[in-house]
Every structure is written in C-alpha cells, then in structure tokens.
Amino acid sequence: MVMDNLGSKLRQTLSNITRSIFIDKKLINELVKDIQRALLSADVNVKLVFELTEKIKERALEEKESKGIDKKTHIINIVYEELVNLLGKEEKGIKVERKKPFKIMMVGLFGSGKTTSIVKLAKYYNKRGYKVAALGLDVHRPAASDQLKQLCDSIKIDCFIDKKEKDPLQIWKIYEKEYKDYDVLIIDTAGRAALSEDLLEEIRILYDKIKPDENLLVMSADIGQAAQKQAEAFNKNANVSGVIVTKMDGTAKAGGSLSACNAVKAPIKFLGVGEKVDDLELYNPEGFVSRLLGMGDLKALLEKAKDVITEEEAKDISEKFVKGEFNLIDLYHQMEAMNKMGPLGKVMEMIPGLGSLEMPKDLLKVQEGKLKKWKYVIDSCRKEELENPDLIERSRIERIAKGSGTTSKEVRELLKQYRLGKKVMKTVGGKAMKTKDINKLVKQFKGKMPKGLGI
Ligand code: GDP
Ligand code: MG
C-alpha cells in the first residue's frame, strides 16, 4: 500500500493509545515521540515534524474532549486532524474554467513522471467530457516528443509536437491558432537530471509567455529531503500552483515530497500510483490520512468505482466483503468488478477496517479469457451446486465441463479460486467486527471525518 511503513507505524502508535488504561502525560509524551520517529523515518521535513508534534502534544494535554467522546477517541481525533493539516487540509483538485483552452503546464526534473502524468491527466479530463490536447515542448531529449505522441495516440488524444524545432517557444507559436478548439491544453516541458540555471530559465520564459492557468510541479515520491529545495526553486521561477506526486505505488518513503508542498504552500492535486494511464488519484488529504491510519477511504473507492460500476454496486461489493457472504455467483461478480477496478489489494485498503489486512497477491484478479470460461462453467451448474459448491465432486465436474464446453481442469480451477476466496472471506468476516467499532468511532467524530466514512 501507499506508504505502508509509515501507515503501520502510525497504526501501531494509535493502538497503544487504544489499549492503554490511563491516559496521562507520560503516555502522551510517548505518543508524540512515536509519531516523530514514524514521520522522520518517512522523510518528512524535520521542522514540520516538530511543529506538528508540538501541536498534538499541546492539544492532547490542554483541550477538553467534547461531550460523549472519551479521552482516547479525542486524542486519536487530534492526531488525525493534525496529520490532515500537515498533508494539505482539504481536497483542492483543479477547477477547469471554460476558456478554451484552459492551460495546464507541467514542470519537474527529468524522470519525475511529467509525460506519464500528462497522459493520465488528459484521460482523466477527457473521461469527464472535456476536449483535451497535449503539447510537447521537451526539445532536449530526442525521444521525448515521440513518447508523448505514442501515449496520446494510445488514448486517442490530439497531440502537437515538432521534432525539428529546437526552441520550445517557437513550437508554442506554431500551433497557437489550434488551441482554441480545445477545453484543456496540457503542456509538457523539458527536465534536467538536476536543478540547473538553464532549466529554470527555460521554464521561466515559457511560463511568462504561455501564462498557464495551472503550473503543476511533478515530483517523484522517492526524492526525500531534496524535494523542498526543488519545490522552492521551481516556485521562485514559475509560480507553482499545485503538485503531482508520482510513484506513490513504490516503496518510497514519500514524506519529503508530501511535506515539501506544505513548505511552498502549493497543494498536492493528484497522486501517481502506477505506470498505467488510469493510475492517477485525485488527492484528498482526509482520505489519505484515513487510509494511513487504517480507517479506509470509501470516497476514493467510490470515485474509482464510478468509472466501471454504479455507486450502488460498489457499496454492495464492499458490504458483501465485510459481511463475508459468499457463493459461486458472488465470486464471479466480484471477480468481474474487481478486474475492472484494479488490483484487489488497492481496493481493500480503501474499505474501512480492512486497510491493514494482508491479502494474497492478486487473489481475485484473473485474466479476462479465464473469466469468460468460468462464466460458462457457472451457467452449467445446478442451483444447489451454485449455493453449495462443496457438492461438486468428480462426476459432477465432468458433467459441468462437458455442458459448458470447458475442461475438468478449468472447472477445478474455479473451485480452487472459490475455496481460496472463502478462506479470505472468513478472515475478512473476523475483521468486520473491527469495522463496526471503527464506524462507531467515526460517528462520534460527527462530521469531522471524511464524509464517505460516516456510514
Ligand atoms: P519525465 O521525464 O518527467 O517526463 O518522466 P516520464 O513520464 O517519462 O516517467 C519516467 C518513468 O517513471 C517512466 O518509466 C514511467 O513509467 C515512470 N512513472 C511515472 N509515473 C509513475 C507512477 O506513478 N508510478 C510508477 N511506478 N512509475 C511511474
Ligand atoms: Mg518527459
């Protein structure tokens, strides 16, 4: 999961609080030290860590809990709120104005993920009904414009490049008349291996001329404390209006990039969570912190699900997981939906209470072709077999294989998948108790938690 190390340390720290009998000054001091250690080891800026923990300590010692909330819940709430404050307060996103085109420029060092993020963002806005084009102004790497063009072609987005022209400003001018046909224009710029004067000057000139509506700094999650200096330098030369932190799917500590945004007062707008075009998440600090603390992020789950299934269906799926209800037909529907939504692990961590659950890798992710075969198998099963798959022994397997035009091996594979799934459901069922407790806790917070959690 995203920042798993930090998440598990914080969850451990909070469970120390939940398990303790007395909440006193000593315990709060320990809590504060644990949080400091966890954040520092995730590369969060030292100064910010101390400011944050001072605040938590002060509030935990002095603030009185509101009526109906016990001391422990109160303290967990303070930690949650202060972490949300540190990591951006509220979802900022990008409000696209109708101005034809709304210009989004991307800047950042070489390899930070600019070009990839441009294509992800183009798809994101295209899906939401905007007419989008990309413009390639990275003139320094010979393959840069080809890469942009290929990626844009793959999602059928128009792309303007000029491989012969070496002055990015000229390329901007060549196509100037075309832009007004688009709602959103996303502009790729060059990077360098390290911060350099000529890179910053090039960005400054482009920024002054193009006057983008949004200037997004793209930073990789793995750059650690260098993030702050980078963000400051870009911001000084071309006002950074927001940040995309990429490679959040890796093992990087990410705290450097996440906290650098706080230091330059530029909000994080999106997270890159993989190499594919769909691996982009709208950044929501409340949901992000909820996930870190193992409280799930239903809002992000529903947002993700929106593109492939209806909101009702998504809720239905997560409820079935939590309740542990399960038969062969459910297995099929779940596999079908999960396949569309992405790896199961990523989905599970967004469900309140299941975030910290260890899942067998890619459990319910099967290939499309296999899924089709299994559908035939299921169609050939009798009602009693669907409800109680344990009835399906050898002679029935052969009958089903014949009837469905598959092989016994394929029928057995489906049954194996079912048993594996059932085993996991049992674990999930056990955890569901915990989900209830969490929801009770969430209710007590009364509106302070992300909306999607208050179920
Ligand atoms: P640019 O030089 O800033 O344009 O960077 P690119 O967009 O070419 O990306 C550099 C490398 O990082 C490529 O191999 C991308 O596939 C990879 N990359 C970009 N974003 C992500 C992300 O969110 N997760 C992962 N795992 N890889 C990414
Ligand atoms: Mg590039």
Side-chain angles (χ1 to χ4, degrees), residues 110-111 113-116 138 141 144 147 188-191:
F110 172 68
K114 285 183 298 301
T115 309
T116 315
D138 180 356
R141 273 194 321 139
Q147 182 201 6
D188 197 7
T189 63

Side-chain angles (χ1 to χ4, degrees), residues 104-287:
I104 303 174
M105 190 162 112
M106 303 280 233
V107 299
L109 291 189
F110 172 68
S112 58
K114 285 183 298 301
T115 309
T116 315
S117 301
I118 283 170
V119 182
K120 289 176 180 175
L121 208 57
K123 182 156 185 207
Y124 181 90
Y125 283 113
N126 187 252
K127 254 200 232 158
R128 281 155 182 78
Y130 295 98
K131 191 173 175 202
V132 185
L135 170 68
L137 300 187
D138 180 356
V139 293
H140 298 286
R141 273 194 321 139
S145 49
D146 287 334
Q147 182 201 6
L148 182 67
K149 179 87 173 63
Q150 268 168 22
L151 287 169
C152 284
D153 284 350
S154 75
I155 55 162
K156 301 191 174 58
I157 294 283
D158 290 338
C159 175
F160 301 109
I161 54 169
D162 188 316
K163 287 171 74 164
K164 284 184 219 91
E165 181 56 60
K166 288 293 163 226
D167 177 0
L169 208 49
Q170 282 308 318
I171 304 181
W172 162 259
K173 282 182 187 154
I174 293 170
Y175 295 110
E176 212 161 0
K177 285 201 181 66
E178 316 261 358
Y179 308 143
K180 64 178 187 317
D181 291 336
Y182 297 88
D183 300 313
V184 181
L185 180 71
I186 312 182
I187 302 148
D188 197 7
T189 63
R192 303 283 193 279
L195 273 179
S196 64
E197 258 323 301
D198 65 328
L199 167 67
L200 293 173
E201 170 147 351
E202 182 176 318
I203 297 297
R204 184 165 60 231
I205 292 169
L206 288 175
Y207 181 84
D208 288 345
K209 183 70 199 167
I210 295 173
K211 297 191 175 57
D213 300 288
E214 287 276 351
N215 183 36
L216 301 184
L217 172 63
V218 180
M219 279 196 293
S220 160
D222 56 14
I223 56 172
Q225 299 284 351
Q228 177 133 353
K229 210 167 140 217
Q230 232 182 74
E232 277 164 0
F234 277 105
N235 195 37
K236 210 172 115 205
N237 286 277
N239 196 19
V240 171
S241 63
V243 177
I244 297 185
V245 181
T246 62
K247 305 183 196 176
M248 288 297 290
D249 50 310
T251 51
K253 296 166 172 175
S257 307
L258 293 174
S259 55
C261 307
N262 184 310
V264 296
K265 301 273 173 285
I268 302 171
K269 306 228 168 177
F270 290 93
L271 299 180
V273 293
E275 289 185 70
K276 303 212 189 70
V277 256
D278 287 313
D279 295 333
L280 184 76
E281 277 180 17
L282 185 62
Y283 177 66
N284 175 288
E286 293 176 329

